[in-house]
Amino acid sequence: GAGVSQSPSNKVTEKGKDVELRCDPISGHTALYWYRQRLGQGLEFLIYFQGNSAPDKSGLPSDRFSAERTGESVSTLTIQRTQQEDSAVYLCASSSTVAETQYFGPGTRLLVL
Amino acid sequence: TQLLEQSPQFLSIQEGENLTVYCNSSSVFSSLQWYRQEPGEGPVLLVTVVTGGEVKKLKRLTFQFGDARKDSSLHITAAQPGDTGLYLCAGIKASGTYKYIFGTGTRLKVLA
């Protein structure tokens, strides 16, 4: 596609529910990243995938967070048993390879009530 | 844990003024990037600096990487309302695996 797309653009959920966020990277990009951005703050690294290598999960804040990627295509970030502190914008980025320019999607705004 | 501190956090200036944003760390980075993010959008890369002491210019924006590769600055000359946005620096550590560490952000508002 022309750019990185994310869905849904907005998500409101109740505390305790599970949510699944989707990222479609730029076609051909082998590296894919997930970040969290709390209101008015910088980006917090969550996880990145590079080709068929084991993902770097070092940024995931708890075992309620998990992510998967099918080959070099779509990725899903799942948050189980959501908490109010999970409310944030979740940004996805992709790059042709890990050291190259990251292109960001518009983000998914998650609000946990 | 935030390893990159940006200052100031907020800046509101009049059109035509100059400004400098700082990005500081106690860590050494392989390279450093600056991004601008507008409301409702993802960050967009402005520049990557790689060599200690490197200076890059992008129209009215001047980026400098510190000699020790621990800090960076962004200077905007004659700011315009279109410069309004959130400016983020990101340090990259390349040692076996790549780590992107984003700064705390500087929110700039340029008033017409």
Side-chain angles (χ1 to χ4, degrees):
Chain A
V4 178
S5 60
Q6 293 186 244
S7 60
S9 54
N10 294 280
K11 177 73 177 178
V12 181
T13 190
E14 294 179 347
K15 178 182 171 181
K17 294 283 180 70
D18 297 351
V19 295
E20 192 171 277
L21 312 180
R22 177 186 170 108
C23 172
D24 283 272
I26 293 172
S27 179
H29 280 193
T30 63
L32 185 147
Y33 311 79
W34 283 99
Y35 296 91
R36 178 170 68 181
Q37 185 175 33
R38 291 202 164 99
L39 186 62
Q41 297 187 18
L43 275 63
E44 177 186 358
F45 166 77
L46 297 177
I47 185 170
Y48 95 79
F49 299 87
Q50 169 57 46
N52 295 320
S53 302
D56 179 347
K57 303 180 181 181
S58 59
L60 294 178
S62 78
D63 59 8
R64 296 187 296 105
F65 288 72
S66 63
E68 291 184 352
R69 187 180 188 194
T70 306
E72 294 183 353
S73 61
V74 65
S75 176
T76 54
L77 176 69
T78 301
I79 309 174
Q80 296 179 310
R81 305 181 302 282
T82 52
Q83 303 293 313
Q84 289 181 332
E85 62 262 28
D86 298 335
S87 296
V89 175
Y90 289 82
L91 289 159
C92 174
S94 72
S95 61
S96 56
T97 187
V98 69
E100 298 299 324
T101 299
Q102 294 185 60
Y103 295 88
F104 283 83
T108 292
R109 282 149 197 80
L110 174 66
L111 177 61
V112 182
L113 301 176
Chain B
T1 303
Q2 289 284 3
L3 297 179
L4 272 174
E5 294 291 334
Q6 286 184 237
S7 62
Q9 281 188 299
F10 302 97
L11 190 55
S12 181
I13 61 171
Q14 293 292 327
E15 181 177 3
E17 292 184 2
N18 301 331
L19 67 116
T20 301
V21 177
Y22 299 94
C23 174
N24 294 294
S25 174
S26 57
S27 297
V28 176
F29 295 104
S30 305
S31 58
L32 190 139
Q33 297 179 329
W34 284 93
Y35 292 79
R36 182 170 70 208
Q37 184 179 22
E38 300 191 18
E41 299 181 8
V44 175
L45 180 67
L46 296 174
V47 78
T48 302
V49 285
V50 180
T51 307
E54 181 177 2
V55 176
K56 279 192 174 178
K57 293 194 174 185
L58 184 66
K59 297 183 180 178
R60 294 176 292 100
L61 279 60
T62 301
F63 305 85
Q64 183 161 9
F65 201 10
D67 291 341
R69 306 206 316 276
K70 293 182 179 181
D71 53 78
S72 181
S73 64
L74 157 61
H75 182 80
I76 301 179
T77 302
Q80 318 233 325
D83 296 328
T84 293
L86 177 67
Y87 288 81
L88 295 159
C89 63
I92 300 162
K93 287 182 173 285
S95 53
T97 183
Y98 278 80
K99 295 281 189 187
Y100 286 80
I101 300 163
F102 277 81
T104 48
T106 293
R107 191 165 296 279
L108 171 65
K109 186 168 186 177
V110 182
L111 305 170

